[in-house]
Amino acid sequence: MNNPAAADTASYNAAPFTIADNVDTALAAMAAGARPIAGGTDLVVGARQGKSPLPTMLVAIDRVPGLAEVRVDEERVVLGSAVTHARLMTDEIVVGDYTALADAAALVGSPATRNVGTLGGNVMNGSPAMDTGAPLVVLGAMIELTSQNGVRLLSPAELWTGPGTTAATSDELCTACILPGRPERSGSAYVRLEYRRAMEIAVVGASASVRLDDSGHLEHLSVALTAVAPTIVEVHSLEELVGRPVDERLLTDVARIASSQAQPISDLRAGADYRSHTVGVMARRAVDAGARRAAGQHIAVPVNRAEGVGRTEQR
Ligand SMILES: Cc1cc2nc3c(=O)[nH]c(=O)nc-3n(C[C@H](O)[C@H](O)[C@H](O)COP(=O)(O)OP(=O)(O)OC[C@H]3O[C@@H](n4cnc5c(N)ncnc54)[C@H](O)[C@@H]3O)c2cc1C
C-alpha cells in the first residue's frame, strides 16, 4: 500500500505510551514496536496476574474514530475492531442478523469487562476459548489486518494458528471483522457450557448458522466449536444433513458429528471425554436455537440465559 503514514515512521517519536486518534498514528507506533491496547482486559489483567509483563511500548486504539463503529457497506456489515462487547450484544444490526455474535458478547466476563473489552482484542488474543470466535466462523467473517504495507483479509482459520498465536505480524492492526449479508430464513446462535453465570471462560461452546428452505427444512448449516482444540474448530461433513427437517434425529446427528471432531485436552476445569461429550450437547442446542430463530421465533440474547442452558431436562 502506498500509505503516506509510512513516511512518518522514521520521524515517529517512540514514546512508551501513545494515545492514537487515527489509524495512521496507530500504525506508525506499531511499526516502531508498540503493541496495541484496546480495552486492556487481556493485556493489563494478564500483566497484573503475572502471566506476561506489559509490553514496553503501547499504543491505545480505543479512541480512534471508525474503529468503534458498526456500519453497513453495500452487502456487508463492517464491525470495527474496537467495538465493545456491550455494543455487540445490543446493536440492532448484530442482534437482528448476526445473533450468534450478540449471544457470545453477552456472555463475556462481567458488565465492566464487556464495557471496555473489544471484538478485536478477543479475536487477536487467539485463545481457543474466545467466545466471539465460533460465531465469526459460522457467520463467514473475514478479519481485516492493516499495516503501513497495506491491508489484507484473512479467514479466521488463516488467522488463528494455535493457542494464543495468530498469523498477524507485529505491525498489523486488526481494523475490522467483515460479515457477509444474511439471506432470508437464516438464524444463528452461540451457547457455551459454564459452571457459573458470570466471570467465566467457556468450558466448551458451540455456534451454529442455519438457513431453512421454504418448507422449513435445512438448506445450509455451519457449526463451529469453542475450547475443544488448539484453535476454534469448524465442523465438517454436515452436508449429509441438508434437506432434512430440524428435528430430534437431526439434532442427535449434529451432536454426534460435533463430538467426533473435537480434540480437547483435559485440564483442571474438565476432562477430555467430558468436553467431547458436552460440546456435542452445545452444538445441538446452538443448531436448535439457530433454526428456531431462522423460522422467526424470538429467542432473547443470550441463548444461555433465555433458555436456561444447564437445565438437565433441556434437549
Ligand atoms: C474478568 C474477565 C473475564 C473475561 N471473560 C471472558 C469471557 O467470558 N469470554 C472471552 O472470550 N473473553 C473473556 N475475557 C477476556 C477479554 O475480556 C476478551 O478477550 C476481550 O475481548 C479482550 O479485548 P480487549 O479490548 O480488552 O483486549 P486488550 O487486552 O486490549 O488486547 C488483547 C490482545 O489483543 C491485542 N489487540 C487488541 N486489539 C487489537 C487490534 N485491533 N489489532 C491487533 N491486536 C490487538 C493486544 O495487543 C493484546 O495482545 C475476560 C477477561 C477478564 C479480565
Side-chain angles (χ1 to χ4, degrees):
M1 181 175 70
N2 189 9
N3 185 335
D8 295 344
T9 305
S11 59
Y12 178 76
N13 179 15
F17 188 69
T18 302
I19 299 175
D21 58 6
N22 60 64
V23 169
D24 287 346
T25 302
L27 297 183
M30 289 177 71
R35 272 270 290 285
I37 181 166
T41 61
D42 272 322
L43 210 54
V44 176
V45 174
R48 283 191 182 148
Q49 291 172 345
K51 287 182 192 157
S52 56
L54 274 182
T56 50
M57 285 175 68
L58 286 169
V59 55
I61 58 164
D62 57 316
R63 296 184 200 173
V64 175
L67 288 187
E69 279 179 7
V70 175
R71 65 186 165 83
V72 179
D73 176 17
E74 297 181 351
E75 298 290 295
R76 322 172 307 168
V77 169
V78 180
L79 305 175
S81 63
V83 169
T84 62
H85 297 293
R87 170 81 186 272
L88 288 174
M89 64 184 271
T90 52
D91 183 89
E92 202 177 320
I93 296 170
V94 179
V95 173
D97 290 342
Y98 306 94
T99 326
L101 199 51
D103 285 330
L107 295 177
V108 171
S110 63
T113 322
R114 294 192 288 271
N115 281 339
V116 293
T118 63
L119 178 62
N122 203 225
V123 166
M124 297 307 284
N125 75 24
S127 164
M130 72 176 89
D131 281 307
T132 63
L136 289 172
V137 169
V138 301
L139 294 167
M142 295 296 285
I143 315 302
E144 183 184 84
L145 299 178
T146 306
S147 73
Q148 290 188 328
N149 297 318
V151 178
R152 59 183 183 136
L153 288 178
L154 267 57
S155 68
E158 291 167 327
L159 179 70
W160 300 318
T161 50
T165 60
T166 72
T169 55
S170 59
D171 62 344
E172 281 183 312
L173 181 70
C174 172
T175 33
C177 297
I178 300 174
L179 297 163
R182 297 286 284 162
E184 293 287 299
R185 292 185 295 280
S186 303
S188 66
Y190 175 74
V191 293
R192 78 177 188 189
L193 176 65
E194 44 189 6
Y195 295 148
R196 55 185 189 197
R197 291 190 156 220
M199 306 294 275
E200 174 69 306
I201 301 293
V203 181
V204 295
S207 187
S209 173
V210 179
R211 191 169 74 238
L212 301 176
D213 64 18
D214 288 342
S215 58
H217 290 189
L218 195 65
E219 192 169 78
H220 176 79
L221 176 63
S222 176
V223 176
L225 312 176
T226 308
V228 290
T231 60
I232 302 289
V233 175
E234 181 165 16
V235 176
H236 55 82
S237 308
L238 294 171
E239 308 77 29
E240 63 180 81
L241 307 178
V242 169
R244 290 171 47 182
V246 183
D247 57 11
E248 181 61 27
R249 275 188 53 226
L250 181 132
L251 296 176
T252 302
D253 285 343
V254 165
R256 174 181 52 77
I257 295 169
S259 288
S260 72
Q261 293 179 30
Q263 299 171 328
I265 54 164
S266 293
D267 62 16
L268 276 177
R269 306 178 71 229
D273 287 350
Y274 181 69
R275 278 200 166 98
S276 289
H277 171 72
T278 51
V279 83
V281 178
M282 296 304 112
R284 64 178 284 151
R285 288 177 182 170
V287 172
D288 180 38
R292 286 188 281 137
R293 282 175 170 162
Q297 184 179 333
H298 175 73
I299 305 172
V301 166
V303 176
N304 267 53
R305 305 290 172 263
E307 304 266 287
V309 168
R311 292 199 318 243
T312 49
E313 71 273 23
Q314 181 133 21
R315 61 177 196 166

